[in-house]
Amino acid sequence: LLVVPPGSANPVIKGISFNLNPGEVMALIGPSAAGKSTLVRALLGIYRPTKGAVRVDNCEIQNWNRQQLGNDIGYLPQDVELLDGSVNENIARFNEVDPEKVVAAAQLAGVHEIILRLPQGYDTPLVGHGHSLSAGQQQRLGLARALYGNPQLIVLDEPNSNLDQAGDQALFQTLGLLKQMGKTVIIVTHRNNILSLVDKVLLLVDGQISAFGPRDEVLAGLAKPQQIQKG
């Protein structure tokens, strides 16, 4: 895979190849400006590869029906943006709200009880991009939105960047449940604690794979594992 982002003249992802099997959880790590965000956008089909292909179930992602693909992929961006509307609508991605699916996603994300404590519960309006909520609450609602509709591939970009200890514990429980459910999960992270939950680690440096494989093998091969935290 080689990716030149829009507006750039040079590749940011510089010829990489890896495979992730159904049900595996992978951590994507690396220093700042390593190309992690560009790789994520390519994996989601937002950026079209300059060379090579991203394939989901052996079909190039650009050839998938966009609506079907959208239903089968959940994405939590690093900067969560909630839109003006109810909690229900935000979790349902502003599609037709299925109350059972909304509650199921919130429960899986560990945010159901928090929503029930809001003034109107799931019908609480979020105005001004949800700024009435804390950054951690917004992130947890964003996780519920990513899990809405039972997607098979879930991409989480720094999912615990704004979480307190309780939020961290809820996220860990969610990831454990996703593994039990056989979901394929990609987590972009700079935090060591979340690595205990992953099966594989991909270390990206300057747009190239520096290491990839089973978690314990990759971490054992790093000369200074503490560098993961610096980002």
Side-chain angles (χ1 to χ4, degrees):
L1 186 70
L2 186 144
V3 182
V4 178
S8 176
N10 300 311
V12 173
I13 299 301
K14 304 172 183 178
I16 71 172
S17 180
F18 71 94
N19 183 64
L20 195 59
N21 297 314
E24 289 184 329
V25 179
M26 183 188 83
L28 174 58
I29 65 175
S32 297
K36 299 187 297 295
S37 295
T38 297
L39 177 56
V40 163
R41 291 186 177 101
L43 296 178
L44 295 170
I46 299 172
Y47 286 172
R48 183 180 291 271
T50 306
K51 184 178 180 180
V54 175
R55 295 184 177 89
V56 178
D57 287 349
N58 295 319
C59 176
E60 289 193 26
I61 198 167
Q62 277 79 18
N63 294 333
W64 274 80
N65 175 282
R66 298 303 297 176
Q67 183 173 355
Q68 181 183 359
L69 188 67
N71 292 335
D72 285 335
I73 293 180
Y75 175 47
L76 174 65
Q78 186 172 354
D79 297 317
V80 177
E81 184 173 346
L82 301 175
L83 303 178
D84 289 351
S86 68
V87 171
N88 265 323
E89 291 171 322
N90 270 276
I91 293 178
R93 309 177 186 182
F94 283 84
N95 294 315
E96 183 176 351
V97 174
D98 184 322
E100 290 186 3
K101 290 183 179 179
V102 168
V103 172
Q107 289 175 330
L108 182 56
V111 74
H112 175 65
E113 297 298 329
I114 292 176
I115 295 173
L116 293 181
R117 291 196 294 268
L118 295 176
Q120 299 176 49
Y122 282 87
D123 293 321
T124 300
L126 302 178
V127 182
H129 303 290
H131 289 165
S132 59
L133 303 176
S134 70
Q137 288 174 327
Q138 292 180 52
Q139 193 161 39
R140 294 174 73 174
L141 280 181
L143 177 58
R145 179 173 59 191
L147 301 178
Y148 179 77
N150 196 32
Q152 297 303 306
L153 173 61
I154 300 157
V155 181
L156 308 176
D157 194 348
E158 299 286 356
N160 55 351
S161 58
N162 294 310
L163 299 184
D164 56 15
Q165 184 176 0
D168 250 353
Q169 292 175 347
L171 175 64
F172 276 42
Q173 184 174 10
T174 297
L175 292 174
L177 291 171
L178 292 174
K179 288 187 70 171
Q180 292 177 19
M181 296 165 68
K183 305 299 183 182
T184 306
V185 185
I186 298 172
I187 308 169
V188 182
T189 184
H190 287 110
R191 296 191 177 184
N192 281 353
N193 60 351
I194 210 168
L195 298 181
S196 64
L197 299 172
V198 308
D199 303 301
K200 290 182 175 179
V201 172
L202 190 156
L203 173 60
L204 194 68
V205 178
D206 192 26
Q208 297 178 310
I209 293 178
S210 178
F212 173 69
R215 176 197 61 208
D216 294 343
E217 290 183 13
V218 172
L219 297 183
L222 296 179
K224 297 180 180 179
Q226 67 270 21
Q227 289 181 347
I228 297 168
Q229 296 176 322
K230 295 180 180 180

